[in-house]
Amino acid sequence: MKMMADRAFGEFDFIESVCEMFRSMPNNGFEGIGDDCAVLPIGNGEALVFTSDMLNEEIHFLTDKSSAFQIGYKSLMVNISDVAAMGAKPVATMLSLALPKERFGDWSAEFMRGYKKASKKYGVKLIGGDTVGSKSGVCISVTAIGRAPMANIKRRSAAKVGDVIVVTGRLGASAAGLRDVLAGKLSTRNAKIHLAPEAQVCEGEWLGKQDAVHAMADISDGISSDLQHILDRSKKGAIISMDGVPVARGASFQDAICGGEDYQLLFTVDRREAESLMQSFEQQFGKPLYKIGKVVRPNYDCYYIGWEDSNGRVVYALDGGGGYNHFGDND
Amino acid sequence: MKMMADRAFGEFDFIESVCEMFRSMPNNGFEGIGDDCAVLPIGNGEALVFTSDMLNEEIHFLTDKSSAFQIGYKSLMVNISDVAAMGAKPVATMLSLALPKERFGDWSAEFMRGYKKASKKYGVKLIGGDTVGSKSGVCISVTAIGRAPMANIKRRSAAKVGDVIVVTGRLGASAAGLRDVLAGKLSTRNAKIHLAPEAQVCEGEWLGKQDAVHAMADISDGISSDLQHILDRSKKGAIISMDGVPVARGASFQDAICGGEDYQLLFTVDRREAESLMQSFEQQFGKPLYKIGKVVRPNYDCYYIGWEDSNGRVVYALDGGGGYNHFGDND
């Protein structure tokens, strides 16, 4: 169960307690608690995956900084990114919208244009939802359904010692873009990546088919946090080469590891097959993968990330980084 | 696709346009557009059904009139009511919550206690969701997944001329209860029905198994509206015997036909089998079904509801009723 939250108040305690409340109930065939999606095997070697995200005005977007089109586009993309992270293909979504009176009309039409553009790009059908009034701001809830052969499903818990850790693109653009947006520069390359991100849908489905790929997640909170989820679930450690982290143009190293909302994919791959997989991927998608580190044995029960500098020195907490804070943080 | 909305602004136009936007896209195997749930056949004669609802503070509930427990209970019930209306068994939900800071803690814990009580009652597992902050009110989104043999799935479009129209319980209690709530009387029988309604989960699954049951819907907006949806989809008319409508204690006839939120089931049944089905139901559940009318041929392309009084006189629009307004209203 993925229940992300803002870090400000006591939400993590709440999420922990919710998971605990339902732990003893029968699963009705569902698996994947702790992954980006819940998984339902449906027979004949097939599975469906399910994920929900909520985006709320003033928390996840500002209606005076994002166009309605961009908010619609992003609402779909952030959701199907979780499906891609499972190695599955998104097939349908349900969309629920709470809209203040003044948002019906031009704003809602533009929102739907963006939502549809993103949906159509990947053949994702809108199959249901709800529209309600709101006496306060806009609230958006999207549920995505994905489909894949059961054998393709990638779980966070599958990382193995020796695996190479790989990301599908340069990181930090969204965090740098957020700075641009807040400074009123809405048209920079990074601002656009922040406002209308692109999920790695085809890449995720392709990686799902590769047996050499073990654990996978999407980068919604920054690799220091998202990799930690993989390590916690896999009960492993990791060494990340700081020089190996691909930093997007205009972004800092800090943006790249802690910024989040990049919606690239992060995965671990059998080290004997890493090179050939990276070549095949580049042939398939015309862009490179980036090796950033390796999976190692845990240090006692501590599923740490060690950050290795160019002199081979490893530190286990980066100044201001999210890595340390997430030590032992099970989601 | 069920996209309900408040009636105040231009939402119906919006919903129409959303449905139209996605009509040309491939269905990816999903059916059931226009029903309470979308339907996905998954092979071996099995199907999954999907529905989403959103509840928003000040629109669907008042936090000073409902306890957090009741809001949690109701959030689950209104959603699985749509699953029951398809003849399916609810198996899982995803819950997304936008909560202002002051709602984390006691309020959110009580909300989850109510949500879990309703979930556990019918064995519905919570499999995912999202928790986000809110700078305004509470917003709740629930997606339910149901499962049934494909042959059990009941569609709004399946009503046949001559069918008897039946409801599973007395109507109007919720509307009468809302009046009590607004008057500050939160503990009356009807107020409790309004604040923490009960979905007809076992009844829906049982009715799904009866071949004699043709079309079915849940009563979320009042029979004048919900029956109209069945008639529009089935291209039929109906005659309702006003004396036959079972009015809940403390409720008016107007409450019973237009009030909504009763979450009883409304269905049409083959007239030759109606009596034996009604007997079997009463044996099974220890409570009666209520015959309220019959399905008739449409009058040209007008899928009207005729209201028959005790003198056999039929009127086609009731003063202040929702029936007339919903003439030709396709959802």
Side-chain angles (χ1 to χ4, degrees), chain B residues 1-227:
Chain B
M1 183 176 311
K2 181 183 147 273
M3 281 218 172
M4 296 310 305
D6 305 280
R7 273 68 181 148
F9 348 120
E11 306 95 329
F12 276 121
D13 292 346
F14 175 61
I15 292 165
E16 277 286 305
S17 69
V18 168
C19 291
E20 191 53 43
M21 280 174 88
F22 282 87
R23 201 156 282 159
S24 64
M25 270 185 68
N27 283 329
N28 294 338
F30 289 83
E31 309 171 358
I33 310 299
D35 281 312
D36 287 288
C37 295
V39 180
L40 179 69
I42 54 170
N44 295 319
E46 287 282 310
L48 296 176
V49 303
F50 304 95
T51 182
S52 286
D53 282 295
M54 190 172 255
L55 286 86
N56 206 7
E57 187 168 350
E58 291 189 77
I59 302 280
H60 300 92
F61 57 86
L62 298 165
T63 46
D64 61 338
K65 304 280 190 196
S66 297
S67 72
F69 182 93
Q70 288 170 324
I71 296 169
Y73 194 89
K74 183 170 184 170
S75 297
L76 192 280
M77 283 295 177
V78 304
N79 200 244
I80 63 175
S81 177
D82 285 321
V83 173
M86 300 296 292
K89 179 184 166 60
V91 291
T93 63
M94 287 184 279
L95 168 66
S96 291
L97 282 175
L99 294 176
K101 188 170 174 174
E102 66 273 17
R103 298 287 175 203
F104 283 96
D106 290 347
W107 195 94
S108 60
E110 271 303 289
F111 174 92
M112 286 311 309
R113 274 218 315 125
Y115 193 88
K116 190 192 173 187
K117 181 160 187 189
S119 298
K120 204 169 175 189
K121 193 163 186 174
Y122 298 114
V124 186
K125 182 86 172 185
L126 181 66
I127 58 157
D130 201 358
T131 311
V132 301
S134 167
K135 298 233 171 157
S136 43
V138 174
C139 188
I140 304 158
S141 173
V142 182
T143 296
I145 304 171
R147 191 161 189 158
M150 195 65 198
N152 292 12
I153 300 289
K154 302 302 180 192
R155 294 202 162 84
R156 290 184 182 169
S157 57
K160 292 184 172 59
V161 171
D163 279 1
V164 176
I165 301 171
V166 178
V167 295
T168 53
R170 294 191 169 274
L171 305 175
S174 182
L178 175 58
R179 272 198 303 278
D180 289 348
V181 168
L182 294 175
K185 294 182 281 182
L186 307 182
S187 300
T188 67
R189 187 175 169 276
N190 285 339
K192 285 179 185 165
I193 289 174
H194 178 77
L195 295 171
E198 203 63 32
Q200 304 296 300
V201 176
C202 303
E203 293 84 345
E205 195 186 356
W206 187 89
L207 290 165
K209 292 176 187 159
Q210 315 303 318
D211 290 342
V213 173
H214 295 155
M216 187 152 65
D218 72 333
I219 305 175
S220 50
D221 294 335
I223 48 169
S224 63
S225 174
D226 294 309
L227 175 58

Side-chain angles (χ1 to χ4, degrees), chain A residues 91-279:
Chain A
V91 291
T93 63
M94 286 182 279
L95 168 65
S96 291
L97 282 175
L99 294 177
K101 189 171 175 172
E102 66 274 16
R103 297 288 174 205
F104 283 95
D106 291 347
W107 196 93
S108 60
E110 271 301 289
F111 175 91
M112 286 311 308
R113 273 217 318 123
Y115 193 87
K116 190 190 173 188
K117 180 160 188 190
S119 298
K120 204 169 175 190
K121 194 163 187 174
Y122 299 113
V124 186
K125 181 86 173 183
L126 181 65
I127 57 157
D130 201 358
T131 311
V132 301
S134 167
K135 298 234 170 158
S136 44
V138 175
C139 188
I140 303 157
S141 174
V142 183
T143 296
I145 304 171
R147 190 159 189 160
M150 196 64 199
N152 292 13
I153 300 288
K154 303 302 180 191
R155 294 204 162 81
R156 290 183 181 168
S157 56
K160 291 187 170 61
V161 171
D163 279 0
V164 176
I165 301 169
V166 178
V167 294
T168 53
R170 294 191 169 274
L171 304 175
S174 181
L178 176 58
R179 273 198 303 277
D180 289 349
V181 168
L182 294 175
K185 294 182 280 182
L186 307 182
S187 300
T188 66
R189 186 173 169 279
N190 285 339
K192 286 178 185 165
I193 290 173
H194 178 77
L195 295 172
E198 203 62 33
Q200 305 295 300
V201 176
C202 303
E203 294 84 343
E205 195 186 356
W206 187 90
L207 290 164
K209 293 174 186 161
Q210 315 303 318
D211 290 342
V213 173
H214 294 156
M216 187 152 67
D218 73 331
I219 305 175
S220 50
D221 294 336
I223 48 169
S224 64
S225 173
D226 295 308
L227 175 58
Q228 192 64 59
H229 293 316
I230 288 179
L231 299 177
D232 290 336
R233 302 280 309 164
S234 298
K235 300 186 190 303
K236 300 290 182 292
I239 301 290
I240 299 297
S241 158
M242 291 197 275
D243 290 343
V245 174
V247 180
R249 204 183 314 161
S252 67
F253 178 75
Q254 182 77 5
D255 292 333
I257 62 167
C258 302
E261 293 213 84
D262 282 314
Y263 301 108
Q264 295 292 334
L265 296 171
L266 166 72
F267 61 92
T268 81
V269 53
D270 190 301
R271 72 191 146 93
R272 291 157 301 188
E273 313 210 33
E275 287 303 328
S276 71
L277 179 125
M278 290 176 75
Q279 282 171 24

